[in-house]
Amino acid sequence: MSRSPSPPPGPSQRQLRVGELIRRTLSEILAQGDLHDPELEGVSITVGEVRASPDLRKATAYVLPLGGGNREAILAALRRNKPEIRHQIARSMALKSVPDLRFEIDETFDRLDAARRMFADERIRRDLEAPPEDAPE
């Protein structure tokens, strides 16, 4: 009985490398303000991560406007300007083809804030500081 090989546990080095190259290039494009969209003018956008699919045909960019406000409008503007963004990425990078870009809000910072609030809670701190019940006295 032959088994099919199990999928790798995470992204390949190639996926990571392409994702990081796109992230840097996208960050530069957004910082330079080369996109002529009123929704994007004067807005600082953080590109936290870009994840490339295994076949490198799709890439999801996780973005967050500075301060976290106006998220949906920024997301809509990025999606509207996707062809221009892909064109600028293609000019800046030496890839055979630029992946189809998808934009999502980066929820990482929200999760970090929630974890900080949880650990700041008095009941949680008390439980963390208490010795284990099965520890010898």
Side-chain angles (χ1 to χ4, degrees), residues 109-122:
F109 298 107
D110 293 339
R111 288 194 301 269
L112 286 173
D113 288 342
R116 281 190 197 110
R117 283 192 301 276
M118 181 181 72
F119 283 116
D121 185 292
E122 181 61 38

Side-chain angles (χ1 to χ4, degrees), residues 2-133:
S2 67
R3 288 187 177 184
S4 61
S6 62
S12 68
Q13 285 295 334
R14 188 170 180 216
Q15 284 174 271
L16 293 171
R17 188 173 59 246
V18 168
E20 181 58 20
L21 285 171
I22 292 172
R23 188 195 68 76
R24 283 189 213 153
T25 306
L26 180 57
S27 293
E28 289 173 13
I29 291 168
L30 294 172
Q32 292 169 357
D34 289 341
L35 301 173
H36 304 291
D37 189 305
E39 294 283 342
L40 298 174
E41 286 183 21
V43 177
S44 292
I45 300 172
T46 301
V47 183
E49 179 182 9
V50 174
R51 291 183 192 161
S53 65
D55 63 2
L56 303 179
R57 291 182 185 207
K58 298 177 194 131
T60 304
Y62 293 91
V63 298
L64 187 66
L66 188 64
N70 210 12
R71 294 175 177 199
E72 292 308 315
I74 297 299
L75 212 50
L78 289 170
R79 289 173 179 159
R80 241 188 345 264
N81 288 281
K82 181 170 65 168
E84 177 62 23
I85 293 169
R86 286 186 73 208
H87 176 72
Q88 290 188 29
I89 288 173
R91 284 190 325 188
S92 300
M93 295 177 59
L95 288 176
K96 192 185 323 185
S97 65
V98 176
D100 181 38
L101 294 174
R102 296 170 184 196
F103 296 98
E104 298 294 333
I105 294 297
D106 190 348
E107 303 288 343
T108 306
F109 298 107
D110 293 339
R111 288 194 301 269
L112 286 173
D113 288 342
R116 281 190 197 110
R117 283 192 301 276
M118 181 181 72
F119 283 116
D121 185 292
E122 181 61 38
R123 293 172 296 175
I124 301 295
R125 287 199 346 248
R126 185 179 59 233
D127 289 346
L128 289 173
E129 293 169 358
E133 291 180 15

